[in-house]
DNA sequence: TCTGGGGTCCTAGGACCC
DNA sequence: TCTGGGGTCCTAGGACCC
């Protein structure tokens, strides 16, 4: 047993959990001076979008994550509604993770804005005083480097560190002294425990358990009976404040998937097939970019009534061949009834193996032969019907991308040859409204252009913080661009069609 | 109010093998 | 002639997290 660990909790609060405050919205406010102190909602842009992050100003109106944007607009019509800009969030995230890496080799990112750090393993803390010092300094560094605030939780276990950071929000630090966890947890609602969501919470409530103390009192057997083996056992341990899960630095992804919700339900079967082909290709692109291959292809279909089903097929060996994935997904689609309309389609690959540059042609040919054989074996009469993407032996025709329609999206960075850097505030009826300001400028003015004004081009995010000493700033957004770099990235950005189903 | 997109883990039944 | 138990793989669905 590692020293200092009793009962599934360390004797010193040396596990740190960092959670950036309203991350996406805060990054947008940092990038757009006119939005500071104002309600900002980042989320899906279409009519079926949901809120990814609401700024604290917007939360006062009742807006929160996962809420349909349509509902958020009713609650808070005056907020700025912006599309997410993951390139920006990723570059800020890299800066933050770099700071965490200075504290310890054991950093476990949970998402772009959240991570666990094992301070003891990094040798920067071995008791409450040193842990608090490290946490406070981290918060100062994060603000200096990114211009954003993060909240820090410190405790003897992951679970408690996470609960602590939640309590610290926004812009705070909470340290839970080992030994105090049970009295602290006892009165809290069961929903604060990781793994207790709406369904489990309701289940427990019907059984008369609303607080963590209720769970500890119920006992392990009762929880297992109620929730099943794995869930029951782990929940009981959590309720006692026991959690000895280690901080794990890097974990390989176990699946890769892409999905699209359509603005309007799809009814045309040919269109559905084409979308499955496009999703297959996107999925394979991501798979290849990760240097992986996978053995099981999964098709996901959400129907008009929100009922969701998945179909999967396991191949003989791992693949990263777009044709193989297209054809498998196509076959799976043939087994799904889509009458009534399709709201969402998804294609994923699981059973990932490290990529090996094997004989992909042989692989593809083998799978095709197999498929053809199956088609012949089962229903000879069906063969004629299975045209298009899901068909048997014929090669799959490439599906053309939709025309490169130029849509100006709210929040998007742009540059005007006369007025300089700005962002799209809105567009419609052939016009686009741009506010000209930058992260380090005062709030700027608005101007309106025709949507096809040649002087207006998309551009990349600018650094949120003026590069000072620039020891940390090695990521794209934190580094000033040379004019040539800027021009090159502008071109790249405008060449990329905005994907909208 | 009308529900995103990317993941993880667990359960349960059936096939198949020993 | 009727009846085993265990282990692994595959498939489908569901809960949960950010």
């Amino acid at each position: 047993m590692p020293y200092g660990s009793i009962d599934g909790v360390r004797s010193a609060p040396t596990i740190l959990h960092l959670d950036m405050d309203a991350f996406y919205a805060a990054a947008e406010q940092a990038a757009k001076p006119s939005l500071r102190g104002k309600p900002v909602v980042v989320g899906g842009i279409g009519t079926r979008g949901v809120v990814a992050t609401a700024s604290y100003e917007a939360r006062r109106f009742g807006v929160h994550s996962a809420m349909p944007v349509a509902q958020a607009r009713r609650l808070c019509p005056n907020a700025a509604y912006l599309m997410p800009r993951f390139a920006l969030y990723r570059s800020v995230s890299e800066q933050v993770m770099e700071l965490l890496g200075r504290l310890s080799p054991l950093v476990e990112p949970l998402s772009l804005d959240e991570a666990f750090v094992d301070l003891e393993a990094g040798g920067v803390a071995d008791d409450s005083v040193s842990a608090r010092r490290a946490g406070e300094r981290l918060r100062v560094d994060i603000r200096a480097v990114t211009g954003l605030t993060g909240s820090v939780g410190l405790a003897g276990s992951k679970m408690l560190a996470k609960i602590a950071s939640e309590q610290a929000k926004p812009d705070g630090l909470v340290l839970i002294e080992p030994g105090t966890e049970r009295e602290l947890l006892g009165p809290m609602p069961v929903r604060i425990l990781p793994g207790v969501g709406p369904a489990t919470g309701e289940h427990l409530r019907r059984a008369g358990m609303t607080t963590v103390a209720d769970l500890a009192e119920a006992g392990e057997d009762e929880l297992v009976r109620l929730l099943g083996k794995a869930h029951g056992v782990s929940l009981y341990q959590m309720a006692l404040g026991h959690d000895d899960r280690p901080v794990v630095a890097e974990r390989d992804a176990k699946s890769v998937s892409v999905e699209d919700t359509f603005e309007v339900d799809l009814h045309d079967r040919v269109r559905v097939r084409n979308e499955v082909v496009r999703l297959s290709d996107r999925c394979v692109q991501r798979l290849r970019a990760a240097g992986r291959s996978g053995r099981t292809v999964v098709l996901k279909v959400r129907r008009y009534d929100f009922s969701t089903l998945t179909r999967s097929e396991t191949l003989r060996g791992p693949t990263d061949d777009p044709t193989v994935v297209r054809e498998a997904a196509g076959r799976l689609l043939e087994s799904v009834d889509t009458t009534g309309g399709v709201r969402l389609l998804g294609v994923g690959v699981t059973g990932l193996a490290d990529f090996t540059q094997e004989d992909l042609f042989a692989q593809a040919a083998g799978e095709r032969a197999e498929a053809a054989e199956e088609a012949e074996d089962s229903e000879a009469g069906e063969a004629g019907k299975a045209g298009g993407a899901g068909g048997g032996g014929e090669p799959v025709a490439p599906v053309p991308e939709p025309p490169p329609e130029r849509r100006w999206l709210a929040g998007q960075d742009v540059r005007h040859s006369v007025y300089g850097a700005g962002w799209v505030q809105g567009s419609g009826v052939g016009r686009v409204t741009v506010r000209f300001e930058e992260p380090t400028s005062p709030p700027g003015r608005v101007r309106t252009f025709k949507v096809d004004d040649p002087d207006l081009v998309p551009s990349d995010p600018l650094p949120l913080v003026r590069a000072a000493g620039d020891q940390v700033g090695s990521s794209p957004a934190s580094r000033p661009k040379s004019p040539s770099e800027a021009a090159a990235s502008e071109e790249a950005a405008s060449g990329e069609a905005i994907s909208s189903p």
Side-chain angles (χ1 to χ4, degrees):
Chain A
M1 168 141 43
Y3 94 92
S5 167
I6 40 150
D7 233 20
V9 178
R10 290 181 187 195
S11 57
T14 51
I15 294 183
L16 180 150
H17 181 255
L18 169 74
D19 201 331
M20 299 294 289
D21 302 320
F23 184 51
Y24 299 172
E28 296 299 342
Q29 288 175 319
K32 301 172 167 70
S34 61
L35 298 184
R36 293 175 195 161
K38 304 240 169 65
V40 170
V41 177
V42 179
I45 33 172
T47 55
R48 287 176 162 177
V50 299
V51 175
T53 312
S55 73
Y56 283 91
E57 297 85 355
R59 291 182 197 190
R60 280 190 219 110
F61 291 84
V63 178
H64 59 78
S65 298
M67 172 185 280
V69 168
Q71 187 185 355
R73 283 186 190 275
R74 284 191 289 273
L75 291 172
C76 189
N78 294 324
Y81 288 85
L82 308 174
M83 63 150 187
R85 295 187 298 152
F86 289 102
L88 171 65
Y89 314 145
R90 248 193 302 276
S91 73
V92 176
S93 180
E94 280 167 20
Q95 295 178 300
V96 172
M97 297 299 166
E98 205 274 338
L99 289 173
L100 299 182
R102 295 182 187 185
L103 296 176
S104 174
L106 281 189
V107 175
E108 180 178 337
L110 300 177
S111 63
L112 289 180
D113 75 320
E114 237 186 273
F116 286 113
V117 184
D118 187 332
L119 299 180
E120 199 177 297
V124 296
D126 58 2
D127 62 4
S128 295
V129 172
S130 49
R132 184 183 293 274
R133 199 162 45 218
E136 290 292 13
R137 205 183 53 208
L138 172 67
R139 284 177 13 82
V140 169
D141 289 347
I142 287 174
R143 188 192 275 276
V145 170
T146 69
L148 306 181
T149 63
S151 296
V152 164
L154 290 158
S157 71
K158 281 182 166 184
M159 169 185 66
L160 290 158
K162 181 144 190 191
I163 289 170
S165 72
E166 195 58 44
Q167 306 218 299
K169 280 186 166 300
D171 196 13
L173 179 148
V174 165
L175 182 150
I176 296 175
E177 282 297 345
T180 67
E181 41 273 307
R182 272 197 77 169
E183 53 180 304
L184 183 101
L185 282 175
M188 293 184 158
V190 294
R191 280 296 300 271
I192 62 143
L193 296 181
V196 181
T200 307
E202 180 56 23
H203 214 97
L204 292 170
R205 194 192 60 77
R206 276 203 298 268
M209 295 177 242
T210 56
T211 67
V212 176
D214 292 339
L215 300 183
E217 221 172 295
E220 190 181 70
D221 290 352
E222 173 74 356
L223 293 179
V224 168
R225 201 175 55 73
L226 229 50
L227 307 171
K229 179 80 180 165
H231 208 178
V233 169
S234 86
L235 210 55
Y236 181 65
Q237 288 303 311
M238 301 265 186
L240 296 181
H242 299 177
D243 172 20
D244 51 16
R245 294 171 299 164
V247 177
V248 180
E250 55 217 29
R251 282 178 304 182
D252 277 351
K254 299 190 167 165
S255 66
V256 170
S257 66
V258 296
E259 64 187 53
D260 269 343
T261 293
F262 306 102
E263 283 295 306
V264 177
D265 290 350
L266 267 37
H267 292 273
D268 178 7
R269 199 57 194 184
V270 174
R271 172 81 197 281
V272 171
R273 276 198 284 265
N274 285 342
E275 291 296 342
V276 168
V277 170
R278 297 207 318 151
L279 288 161
S280 300
D281 290 350
R282 267 167 59 192
C283 183
V284 166
Q285 270 189 313
R286 296 252 312 273
L287 192 65
R288 289 188 159 186
R292 313 290 297 276
S293 58
R295 236 189 111 211
T296 303
V297 178
V298 184
L299 176 75
K300 176 172 168 182
V301 179
R302 173 123 70 213
R303 291 187 275 214
Y304 67 100
D305 61 355
F306 217 73
S307 64
T308 306
L309 50 83
T310 61
R311 293 290 177 269
S312 65
E313 179 182 315
T314 300
L315 308 169
R316 271 212 278 263
T319 188
D320 74 340
D321 183 331
T323 308
V324 172
V325 174
R326 280 180 177 198
E327 290 177 355
R331 282 194 296 276
L332 292 166
L333 178 63
E334 295 308 311
S335 72
V336 176
D337 176 17
T338 57
T339 48
V342 172
R343 181 190 179 92
L344 167 150
L345 288 170
V347 172
V349 174
T350 73
L352 298 196
D354 285 325
F355 174 67
T356 46
Q357 185 68 54
E358 56 194 78
D359 188 346
L360 298 171
F361 281 108
Q363 170 92 11
E367 299 291 347
R368 269 199 298 275
E370 206 178 323
E373 209 175 299
E374 274 168 31
E376 233 176 312
D377 283 356
S378 54
E379 322 224 358
E382 282 278 292
K385 179 181 145 199
E394 286 104 308
V396 182
V399 175
E401 289 288 320
E405 167 195 24
R406 173 79 273 161
R407 281 176 64 193
W408 298 106
L409 300 174
Q412 181 182 1
D413 276 307
V414 293
R415 179 166 286 278
H416 188 275
S417 54
V418 177
Y419 303 108
W423 56 278
V424 173
Q425 194 165 293
S427 70
V429 287
R431 303 272 165 174
V432 53
T433 303
V434 176
R435 187 176 291 275
F436 288 98
E437 60 184 5
E438 307 178 23
T440 53
S441 78
R445 298 264 300 275
V446 161
R447 291 178 189 276
T448 296
F449 307 90
K450 284 186 170 166
V451 288
D452 56 1
D453 190 322
D455 290 331
L456 198 63
V457 294
S459 68
D460 281 351
L462 296 165
L464 298 182
V465 172
R466 214 185 295 276
D470 199 39
Q471 338 86 309
V472 177
S474 58
S475 58
S478 65
R479 182 174 46 111
K481 279 190 176 53
S482 71
S484 63
E485 272 180 315
S489 52
E490 268 177 14
E491 224 172 292
S494 58
E496 185 186 344
I498 289 163
S499 100
S500 77

